[in-house]
Every structure is written in C-alpha cells, then in structure tokens.
Amino acid sequence: MSVLLEQGHSQSAVARLLGVSEGTVRYHRKRMKGAVVDGRSKQVPKAAAFANVIEAWRLEQVGGRINLAVLHDWLRREHGYIGSLKSIQRYWKRTYPAPKIRARRRVETPPGAQAQVDWVEFPGVTLGREEVDLAALIVTLSWSRKRAVVWARSKDMLSWQSCQIGCLQRLGGVPAVLRIDNVKTAIATGGGSWGKINETYRRFATQLRFHVDACQPRHPQGKGKVERHAQDLRVVVDPRKEHFDDLAALQAATDSRLEDRARELSCPVTGTPIAEAWEQERRLLTPLPAAMPAPFDVVVYRPVGIDCMVNFEGRRYSVPFQFVGQLVEVRGLAGRVQVLKDTAVIADHARGTAELLVRDEAHYEGESTDRVEAPMPLGRMGRRLQEIAASGVQHRSLDLYARLAEVAR
C-alpha cells in the first residue's frame, strides 16, 4: 500500500487495486504518517517460554544447519508446544542474528581441464505426428564455453552414454574431467565427492579417459556454466514452440544454431568469440579413440569356463578357447552382448535370445597356445551334426539316423 501511494496513485485507485475500502486506505495512511508502532510487535511470543530449550537445541545442531520445521516438530512432541511454526520463525528472527553471508570463490579452470554436463527435459514435444517426451544432454567446455547438445527420447544408461559420445565428437575431444549431476546413471549411491560411481559408467569413463567429478547435492552453482546454457537452449531451440518432422531434423537444427551462437557470444576468459576460444581449447583435449565404444547399460566381469563359456543374464555365451580360465569383461549393449579382454572385443552375440546357450563354433577352432590346449577337433559324425544343425531344417530322428549311418559307413 505504501509503495502504491508513494508512486502517486490516488487512495481510491489503491483501494480498487487491493480490493479494500477507501476508508481502510485512509486509516493506514494516517497511521504511517504518525509513525504508529504496531502493537503486535510488543507482544511476548509463545516461544519465549521455551527460550532455554530452544538455545540448547540450537547448540546441538551439527554444522550450523538450522531447520525450524524440525525444531517446531520437536518442541510439540517433546515439550508440548502449542504454537505454530510461524511463531517459531518470528521468535528466531528476533532472537538470533542472520547468519553470515559466505563469499563465493570464482574459479576458472584451464583450457582442456573440465566440461560440465546436464540434462534438460522437454515434455510433450510433437515430432511429426507423435507426441513424445524429449531430453537434451548439454556438455559445455568450462574454459571456452563451447557447448554441444544431443537429443534423446530417454535418460537411461544407453542414452546417457550415447549422448555424451555425440557431444564429445562435436566438441572435438575429451576434457580431463566431466563435472556431472548426481544422476543414477552416473552415481550409484551417495552424492558429490563421497558418492560411489556407477560401475558401468566408471568403465565407460575409463575407456574414454576422463575423470568423473560429481557436484555436491543441491548445489547447482557447482556447474553454473551448463545451467546457464540450459536456460539459453530454450532460446536457441525449443521443440515445443517449433515443429520438427523427426529427431534427426531437430538435431540438425540444433547443431546449426549452436554454431551460429558460438560465433555471436563471447568467451569471458579471452574476450574473443566462443568459436575462436574453442579452436584454442580443442588442441588441448584428449583425442577421441579411433574405435568409439558402443554404449552399454550393463558391465560385469566373468571367468571363462573350461567349456569356453561365460554366464550373463541367465544365459551362457561362448568366447575363443584361448581365454579359458581368464577373467573377461562382459557388456550388455542395445541388442548385443560383447565380451572384451584388455578393451579388445573377443566375442559378439545377440542379446536376450530365446536360447540359453549361445555359441559360435569358430571360438573352438585354432591353434593351441602356451597356456591352453585347443579342444579336440570334431569327428566326421560331429561335423555332420553341426552341418545339419546349421542348415536350420527340421529332421525326424529316423531321417537323422539314416544320414549319420551314411557317415559311419
């Protein structure tokens, strides 16, 4: 009311805006001119009777973190307090000084050292004739502010990895550190520096040679650069306000507009356009592997049995006999199972098949090694059985008997 009156509004106009009578406005204006003190401010709050108890509770709080809702609940439960939470808040404000303001240190990382990663969600997007929920992964290089965006239909582990690969390819290399949020595809338990990295993502990071640095929980300032770019993305391209035929068209438009944006905006560190600063930083990024890893949502380590098989997801998959007795890495990809040894793929099978035994006969062939003797070769009957099985044709047992009898003769 006082602000409106100071701005020159009439008493009748203020009354109409606030939905009160003009007499009410005149009454309060008179009180403000006379500097009348509200009598409620002189009343003794109900919480004052519990001053000693409240002070003892305050001293027991670890780290100085104060939650007045917890205090109010504790007073009601343990001491029969009947006042409201608002009364506790008013008492606390009068009794205790405001906490100190902690100054924030401004940190600029050197070129090639860090990139910040975050998801941005766009629910209810129309692609062609289909309505879907989309998510955009943003990766921003902290020094040059160059960013890359890759769209996905979900935020599962496969999307998390494939979108990061796409962003790093657009950025031209891998920074030493990726600062991420505490999403479950990255941090399995806990959060921040004390969180446990998801084993699948840890293996992915090792293969691309970057360190995972999780932000502290509820601390968006820890990745403020990508947070600002998340807001700017809605200006650059918002699929809810534009029409795109499919995800590929949306991705192409995003890439083109971000290139233009990099030429328009300036890097605060160098004062040059972001595109020029990025050219300097790109030379310091770790080169991408020649063979990029396929995204995987499961990774486990299994010993190879004497029958050249490993267990994975309730099935058994064959690997070359040379690896019998060794520990190998098994990855679950989208529709495929890969077995690796020292980052090299040694076996590749279909995933989730109806068969519980998935074999490749080539894994049993080859020369013996210094450590493993090659399996016994198949005889004529064994080879014939394999040929019949490979043909996929169904035979009656009597027919099979006749065919095998020819081999025996």
Side-chain angles (χ1 to χ4, degrees):
M1 183 181 298
S2 61
V3 174
L4 293 173
L5 292 171
E6 289 174 2
Q7 291 176 350
H9 294 279
S10 65
Q11 293 182 161
S12 58
V14 173
R16 285 194 299 272
L17 286 171
L18 299 181
V20 297
S21 66
E22 189 175 347
T24 301
V25 176
R26 285 197 301 270
Y27 169 76
H28 285 284
R29 188 173 193 176
K30 182 179 179 181
R31 287 177 62 86
M32 286 187 292
K33 284 184 177 180
V36 179
V37 178
D38 192 335
R40 289 175 296 180
S41 63
K42 298 180 180 180
Q43 294 177 353
V44 178
K46 292 180 181 179
F50 299 84
N52 294 335
V53 174
I54 292 174
E55 175 63 16
W57 180 88
R58 185 182 72 88
L59 296 175
E60 291 177 356
Q61 302 311 298
V62 178
R65 297 181 64 88
I66 302 298
N67 187 328
L68 296 183
V70 173
L71 170 61
H72 177 251
D73 182 66
W74 178 72
L75 287 173
R76 293 185 61 184
R77 187 176 63 253
E78 300 293 336
H79 298 277
Y81 181 70
I82 60 174
S84 64
L85 173 60
K86 196 73 174 179
S87 67
I88 295 293
Q89 292 170 342
R90 285 196 298 267
Y91 171 79
W92 194 276
K93 186 176 180 180
R94 295 180 190 176
T95 307
Y96 299 106
K100 292 182 180 180
I101 300 174
R102 179 179 292 278
R104 188 178 302 156
R105 182 184 297 275
R106 179 78 189 196
V107 176
E108 288 295 335
T109 57
Q114 185 197 75
Q116 298 180 5
V117 183
D118 202 6
W119 284 108
V120 184
E121 297 183 9
F122 291 81
V125 173
T126 301
L127 284 180
R129 298 182 180 180
E130 181 185 10
E131 184 171 310
V132 296
D133 295 335
L134 293 182
L137 187 76
I138 304 180
V139 179
T140 299
L141 291 174
S142 298
W143 186 78
S144 65
R145 271 61 168 187
K146 173 67 175 177
R147 59 179 151 161
V149 175
V150 175
W151 295 88
R153 292 174 179 263
S154 71
K155 299 196 297 182
D156 59 14
M157 180 62 79
L158 292 176
S159 298
W160 175 243
Q161 293 183 19
S162 62
C163 287
Q164 285 189 35
I165 289 174
C167 286
L168 294 175
Q169 288 173 332
R170 287 166 171 80
L171 294 175
V174 185
V177 175
L178 285 190
R179 168 151 280 203
I180 60 169
D181 210 345
N182 291 277
V183 293
K184 288 301 181 183
T185 47
I187 304 299
T189 58
S193 303
W194 296 272
K196 180 182 178 182
I197 300 175
N198 185 303
E199 180 60 27
T200 301
Y201 186 58
R202 186 197 65 78
R203 184 61 184 140
F204 174 79
T206 300
Q207 193 160 355
L208 285 182
R209 293 182 291 176
F210 67 82
H211 176 72
V212 178
D213 179 24
C215 286
Q216 296 305 312
R218 298 175 296 279
H219 187 66
Q221 300 88 349
K223 50 183 178 62
K225 299 177 180 68
V226 74
E227 291 281 350
R228 286 190 292 276
H229 281 178
Q231 298 173 10
D232 187 62
L233 178 62
R234 302 180 190 277
V235 177
V236 175
V237 56
D238 190 338
R240 294 170 299 186
K241 299 178 182 178
E242 302 180 58
H243 179 77
F244 297 94
D245 292 333
D246 51 30
L247 203 61
L250 173 58
Q251 186 65 60
T254 303
D255 292 340
S256 176
R257 295 179 192 179
L258 287 180
E259 289 298 323
D260 295 338
R261 200 70 167 162
R263 289 188 287 269
E264 296 169 0
L265 301 179
S266 297
C267 169
V269 179
T270 63
T272 61
I274 287 177
E276 292 184 19
W278 172 54
E279 290 297 334
Q280 299 179 43
E281 185 169 23
R282 183 166 58 172
R283 295 192 292 267
L284 300 174
L285 299 175
T286 300
L288 291 162
M292 294 295 290
F296 51 96
D297 57 3
V298 179
V299 59
V300 294
Y301 297 91
R302 295 286 188 266
V304 180
I306 193 68
D307 57 354
C308 312
M309 306 286 280
V310 294
N311 297 322
F312 181 68
E313 294 182 337
R315 294 171 178 79
R316 307 194 72 207
Y317 297 90
S318 67
V319 299
F321 75 86
Q322 293 89 345
F323 298 94
V324 166
Q326 296 189 31
L327 193 68
V328 295
E329 179 182 332
V330 187
R331 295 181 181 179
L333 284 65
R336 307 295 300 173
V337 173
Q338 283 187 349
V339 185
L340 297 89
K341 182 65 177 177
D342 298 330
T343 71
V345 178
I346 59 175
D348 190 301
H349 299 282
R351 185 179 184 183
T353 60
E355 297 85 357
L356 301 183
L357 293 174
V358 184
R359 293 178 303 139
D360 182 346
E361 292 302 324
H363 291 162
Y364 297 90
E365 305 296 334
E367 299 294 330
S368 301
T369 68
D370 295 339
R371 196 182 59 86
V372 182
E373 190 76 23
M376 290 287 292
L378 290 172
R380 286 187 302 167
M381 187 172 294
R383 288 195 300 272
R384 186 57 179 157
L385 283 171
Q386 294 298 325
E387 292 171 3
I388 294 172
S391 69
V393 179
Q394 300 293 324
H395 298 277
R396 293 178 179 274
S397 59
L398 185 60
D399 185 28
L400 282 174
Y401 173 78
R403 289 172 177 269
L404 295 176
E406 294 177 4
V407 175
R409 287 197 294 270

